Amino acid sequence: MAENNKMISCDLETGLCSEHEDGQDYEMVKVELAPVRKFRVIYYTDPICSACWALEPYIRKLEEEYAPLLTIEYRMGGLLPGWEHFSDGGNGISKPSDVAHHWEEIAEQSGMSMDGDVWLEDPLHSSYPPSIAFKAAQLQGKEQADAYLRRLREMVFLEKVNIAKEEALIQASIDVGLDTERFKRSYHDPATAELFYQEIEEGAELGVRGFPTILIVDEEGQGARVSGYRPYQHYVEALNKVAKDALQPNQKVYTAKQLLQKYNFLGTEEIRIMLDGSREETLAELQRLEQAGLVECVPVKFGFFWRNVN
């Protein structure tokens, strides 16, 4: 069979597409285009870290404003190995019941509801089980794992669920559509726990001393570290410093309904921050959507969360 050397191309001027022969497979030319810069946001966190839950609105806003220039990689840091020998003197925490008031103080300051009663009614013995569970979820893909971590946080902070218990970890895998049997095998595999312990060691080498800690790194591995829960502009300034100039945020404008269509379940504060509105304006708009049957209001201990209604 003879080799087909004909090439088909469409002429911009005539609009006609035709065949012609060409002896070259490709033509070398000089192409000058701006390189696509990509930044890694390496986020050391913990499923039960209250400051990390307070940071959720800023993480979503950072993703919305600077995608696709950055990727966010969640890493586990190991906040609470267990209560034996544990003490957080700065926050007056030495036993589970001490956490209850601390959580609710942060909830009132940040606008992200946290029900500290879980520490009185069914306290968690450690944050290691949900951290290892997150590593198990990661084996099924980044998007699935990110959704799993979010669901764990909703369960513990809003629903008073003890996410150190295996039945809660399994339920969360069902809620976000993981392959649950595969998840259970991965969760009990010692290799999955080893991935978690490796992240703790790597975090220590990178100077991670608390949570949240965010490392913003360029393609050459150079970057900046932001420790603790800070105003949103601190993270933007760190990103611009790593980029060596002021990056332009995306100009796409969302409505509250569009945000809920995208994320399905958000707090009033998350929506407010992403829309750059006041709490009063944001709440009024969400209440209008609820009256129209477009969203469902979910009362929580401090304020409201909202679920999309198709």
Side-chain angles (χ1 to χ4, degrees), residues 125-145:
H125 70 277
S126 171
S127 69
Y128 279 31
S131 298
I132 294 168
F134 171 75
K135 301 307 296 180
Q138 272 189 321
L139 298 174
Q140 298 191 36
K142 173 177 167 46
E143 184 176 342
Q144 293 88 334

Side-chain angles (χ1 to χ4, degrees), residues 100-112:
H101 180 65
H102 175 67
W103 269 23
E104 298 192 356
E105 281 186 333
I106 296 178
E108 292 182 325
Q109 292 168 10
S110 69
M112 288 292 285

Side-chain angles (χ1 to χ4, degrees), residues 5 20 39-40 56 60 78 126 162 209 238 254 279 294:
N5 290 323
H20 62 274
F39 303 93
R40 296 170 66 197
E56 283 283 282
R60 292 194 184 279
S126 171
N162 183 339
R209 300 290 181 267
Y254 285 96
R279 291 189 181 184
L294 298 174

